[in-house]
Amino acid sequence: LEFYSISLLLELTKTAKFNIQPFLGELIPALLDAISDTEPEILNYVAARSSLAELEVLDDARAQIARTSPVMSAIHDLIPQIDGSVLVVLQPRLCEQLRSSVGSSTRSSCAQFLVLLALRQPQLLGDYPAQCGKVMEVVEKYRLFLYYFIIDKIFTALMSGIHDRNPSVRKNFASAISYMAKYATSVSMGRLMSAVLKSLIGEDESMKLSAKQILKSLSTNSTELLQNYSKLIIPYIFLETCQSDSLAATLLSNLMPMMSGRIWTGKEHLISAISVLFLSLTKEASKAKKQYAAAGLLACAVFARSLSHSKAADWLFEKVDENMRKVTRYR
């Protein structure tokens, strides 16, 4: 019976067209739930007996299958019909699914739905109220309502995935966050960056990885939003590159172009912070204890390479040459 019900819904999405719009607020969550409900039971059996690494591979595959499923294709076709009234009805159930849906495929599909919504309906999330043709006062009130009570609630629900124990869910939520961030309020963005920085300086490696995934996604999809936070982020990311972290190195290379070109608020503070950081590294590299000096030299090398910093490279060459002369002098 469930199979035939889903088949009927899929058929309706193709044939009913705009007649189905009043029901989208309830239909879309039902379709998202169906993605997990229609999965073969053997997948849950395998998942329950998998290690964390195996589970990540399995859930990545499940998320990929869900993206190309007939159900997700139907949701994709319904997105152009979503307007502000649909979003108001859709938001509570969608937030509930993002936070607590039992099926990881449904949660990942919810995140993918938001990515598609941001890509295909930017006018809805960004300036839909300005196009509704009502008087300006009503438009402004509607805009505030849409932002503070709808979009921010969705964004907050996405943030709950930052600390999810499922690595695949964290990756999918990071991607969705990067697309929805440009429509969230500055308060919500500030909360996100606070959570990211807290994870970066914490001891939990999985949370560090999650934070770097969010920053990498933001640097790819919403680069301009990171400019106000780059002076806080770059030092932490740089220190991670000193641990031979490939993701951190990629992220650093994405963030550093912010340093060039036009002047923007906070740029001078970032330049100052980087200068202080290099000064600290040179002090470590000049210490008498070999272990500290070696780590400092390695960090200076990473700094010079990652930032293409010629002065840092010159200092490093001189320091290595000085150390070599000291070694040969005592022989």
Side-chain angles (χ1 to χ4, degrees):
L1 181 61
E2 182 182 22
F3 173 78
Y4 290 111
S5 298
I6 293 173
S7 298
L8 178 60
L9 287 176
L10 294 179
E11 193 63 32
L12 283 172
T13 61
K14 297 177 182 178
T15 58
K17 297 189 181 297
F18 289 99
N19 292 327
I20 207 171
Q21 186 185 33
F23 308 99
L24 291 184
E26 298 175 354
L27 175 59
I28 290 175
L31 290 174
L32 289 168
D33 277 335
I35 291 175
S36 287
D37 293 341
T38 55
E39 283 184 330
E41 292 185 6
I42 187 64
L43 291 179
N44 293 326
Y45 177 85
V46 173
R49 289 157 179 79
S50 300
S51 66
L52 191 60
E54 293 168 340
L55 183 62
E56 181 178 1
V57 174
L58 176 62
D59 285 339
D60 282 346
R62 293 167 82 170
Q64 183 59 39
I65 292 171
R67 288 191 192 100
T68 57
S69 68
V71 176
M72 203 64 197
S73 296
I75 293 173
H76 184 277
D77 293 338
L78 293 172
I79 286 177
Q81 299 186 46
I82 298 175
D83 60 14
S85 62
V86 172
L87 198 60
V88 169
V89 178
L90 178 62
Q91 174 263 315
R93 179 66 181 131
L94 181 62
C95 288
E96 181 184 345
Q97 289 173 307
L98 286 167
R99 286 193 175 97
S100 57
S101 178
V102 175
S104 65
S105 296
T106 289
R107 296 186 70 197
S108 295
S109 296
C110 287
Q112 178 63 19
F113 165 70
L114 290 172
V115 171
L116 294 173
L117 188 66
L119 290 173
R120 301 193 67 199
Q121 284 275 48
Q123 75 282 1
L124 170 66
L125 301 177
D127 59 2
Y128 170 80
Q131 300 178 20
C132 66
K134 298 181 181 179
V135 296
M136 185 57 64
E137 183 179 357
V138 175
V139 168
E140 187 59 28
K141 286 182 178 179
Y142 185 77
R143 181 190 295 275
L144 291 174
F145 173 76
L146 196 66
Y147 268 46
Y148 287 99
F149 294 96
I150 303 298
I151 296 177
D152 264 20
K153 282 184 177 293
I154 293 173
F155 192 74
T156 301
L158 276 173
M159 285 175 56
S160 68
I162 295 175
H163 303 297
D164 195 273
R165 63 186 182 86
N166 188 314
S168 181
V169 169
R170 291 201 301 265
K171 284 187 286 189
N172 283 285
F173 274 46
S175 177
I177 283 172
S178 70
Y179 282 96
M180 293 296 293
K182 64 185 68 176
Y183 305 112
T185 61
S186 57
V187 174
S188 289
M189 188 63 185
R191 285 200 298 264
L192 171 67
M193 298 312 298
S194 295
V196 166
L197 290 174
K198 184 177 179 180
S199 295
L200 282 176
I201 63 177
E203 299 296 327
D204 191 323
E205 291 301 321
S206 64
M207 292 301 100
K208 280 187 179 182
L209 178 60
S210 176
K212 284 179 279 190
Q213 287 169 342
I214 291 172
L215 291 175
K216 185 175 184 297
S217 294
L218 284 170
S219 70
T220 301
N221 302 316
S222 299
T223 308
E224 67 282 358
L225 294 178
L226 288 181
Q227 288 186 350
N228 292 332
Y229 302 95
S230 55
K231 66 179 180 181
L232 299 175
I233 296 168
I234 288 179
Y236 291 111
I237 297 300
F238 172 73
L239 292 176
E240 288 295 315
T241 65
C242 295
Q243 305 297 323
S244 300
D245 187 317
S246 59
L247 178 57
T250 302
L251 176 57
L252 184 63
S253 66
N254 289 344
L255 291 173
M256 287 315 298
M258 296 180 187
M259 291 292 295
S260 60
R262 65 186 185 279
I263 296 174
W264 41 267
T265 303
K267 181 174 180 178
E268 69 279 7
H269 299 299
L270 177 56
I271 295 172
S272 176
I274 289 178
S275 299
V276 171
L277 176 61
F278 181 65
L279 181 61
S280 298
L281 293 176
T282 59
K283 289 180 179 179
E284 290 297 317
S286 302
K287 286 189 173 180
K289 192 170 183 178
K290 292 181 181 179
Q291 183 179 359
Y292 293 155
L297 286 170
L298 177 60
C300 287
V302 174
F303 183 98
R305 182 191 63 191
S306 300
L307 276 63
S308 300
H309 199 294
S310 59
K311 290 185 178 179
D314 291 341
W315 183 91
L316 184 62
F317 281 126
E318 291 176 4
K319 188 63 180 177
V320 171
D321 183 59
E322 177 188 335
N323 289 346
M324 291 300 297
R325 287 199 303 271
K326 287 180 180 179
V327 171
T328 55
R329 185 187 310 159
Y330 293 117
R331 285 185 175 178

